[in-house]
Amino acid sequence: EAGVAQSPRYKIIEKRQSVAFWCNPISGHATLYWYQQILGQGPKLLIQFQNNGVVDDSQLPKDRFSAERLKGVDSTLKIQPAKLEDSAVYLCASSLDYGGRVTGELFFGEGSRLTVL
Amino acid sequence: DQQVKQNSPSLSVQEGRISILNCDYTNSMFDYFLWYKKYPAEGPTFLISISSIKDKNEDGRFTVFLNKSAKHLSLHIVPSQPGDSAVYFCAAPRVPHYSSASKIIFGSGTRLSIRP
């Protein structure tokens, strides 16, 4: 079974530039998540999709971050314009979802490390 | 609001000994708890979970204990091996008042180093 795929693995940009990350979840997983992990901290949920609908984006800085999940499969996360404090690893995860309740076991990709200079 | 807390950022244990990683929580409504393990340059991987109706769950060298009165859980690794060196996160599902979907929230992690 193929795991969660993410690209690019690494990205270096200057502040005020834009960047996009791509994620392909495990086949059949209805729920997809984007987490931000800043060095020394735990992953923080940015946005959660159920199929192609958003179920939680309360911690997504909507003035600069956007995300979409077309056709309920792949997803992209975009940052425009980037700030220094956006330097982090962006983790995509997916999970099986029974009856609308998350069972807890998330399958993570390797992450995309963003450095903003 | 940090509902899941790991107060020890790092821990060093000798190979073969027991490693004990701790986690405290503030929300007594959590249905279950999870531990994830993360190696450098990789995503976290699920390790073990425990339902809130249990006080212990064991899987090989890994055992998680839950003390509901103290709102505390711990992960025991016995015996510790070099491959256990990683960052360990405790996590729990939280159902926001504005949504019917639960979201997994993570602690800040504990870096475990197993020394020979």
Side-chain angles (χ1 to χ4, degrees):
Chain A
E1 178 183 79
V4 176
Q6 288 189 247
S7 67
R9 290 294 309 277
Y10 304 93
K11 189 75 176 179
I12 300 174
I13 61 173
E14 306 219 336
K15 59 183 179 183
R16 292 187 291 273
Q17 287 187 323
S18 63
V19 63
F21 302 112
W22 172 83
C23 173
N24 181 242
I26 292 173
S27 177
H29 281 195
T31 309
L32 184 146
Y33 316 77
W34 283 102
Y35 280 85
Q36 179 193 58
Q37 186 180 10
I38 294 172
L39 187 64
Q41 299 181 18
K44 182 183 86 172
L45 181 68
L46 293 176
I47 188 166
Q48 178 175 337
F49 293 94
Q50 177 79 13
N51 296 309
N52 60 349
V54 176
V55 297
D56 193 320
D57 63 357
S58 58
Q59 297 198 83
L60 186 74
K62 298 179 186 64
D63 58 335
R64 299 183 300 105
F65 286 64
S66 64
E68 61 181 5
R69 188 181 185 194
L70 298 176
K71 300 180 181 179
V73 182
D74 292 8
S75 178
T76 55
L77 175 70
K78 296 180 181 178
I79 308 174
Q80 181 180 17
K83 293 185 175 181
L84 297 177
E85 59 260 36
D86 297 333
S87 293
V89 176
Y90 291 86
L91 294 161
C92 179
S94 67
S95 70
L96 289 170
D97 189 9
Y98 299 101
R101 296 283 301 187
V102 173
T103 58
E105 183 171 356
L106 276 59
F107 295 83
F108 283 88
E110 293 180 313
S112 296
R113 180 177 294 279
L114 173 66
T115 301
V116 182
L117 303 176
Chain B
D1 64 346
Q2 195 174 359
Q3 298 192 33
V4 180
K5 294 184 180 181
Q6 294 177 260
N7 293 316
S8 298
S10 63
L11 176 67
S12 180
V13 174
Q14 190 169 21
E15 183 178 355
R17 298 291 189 99
I18 182 171
S19 295
I20 300 176
L21 298 102
N22 296 303
C23 179
D24 297 303
Y25 61 95
T26 57
N27 188 343
S28 59
M29 299 299 290
F30 288 137
D31 291 333
Y32 54 91
F33 301 87
L34 312 106
W35 285 93
Y36 280 79
K37 176 179 181 179
K38 185 183 184 300
Y39 291 120
E42 295 184 11
T45 56
F46 171 77
L47 185 59
I48 190 170
S49 64
I50 185 167
S51 167
S52 61
I53 63 173
K54 294 186 175 181
D55 53 19
K56 177 183 174 181
N57 188 28
E58 190 173 353
D59 183 2
R61 296 185 298 113
F62 302 90
T63 303
V64 58
F65 295 92
L66 176 61
N67 182 334
K68 289 183 283 293
S69 60
K71 295 184 181 176
H72 177 84
L73 66 155
S74 60
L75 175 67
H76 293 212
I77 307 174
V78 181
S80 299
Q81 299 175 354
D84 297 330
S85 294
V87 177
Y88 291 80
F89 295 99
C90 67
R94 183 172 76 89
V95 182
H97 61 86
Y98 50 81
S99 171
S100 61
S102 56
K103 65 187 223 181
I104 305 299
I105 56 174
F106 288 81
S108 55
T110 296
R111 181 177 301 277
L112 175 65
S113 300
I114 305 301
R115 58 182 190 273

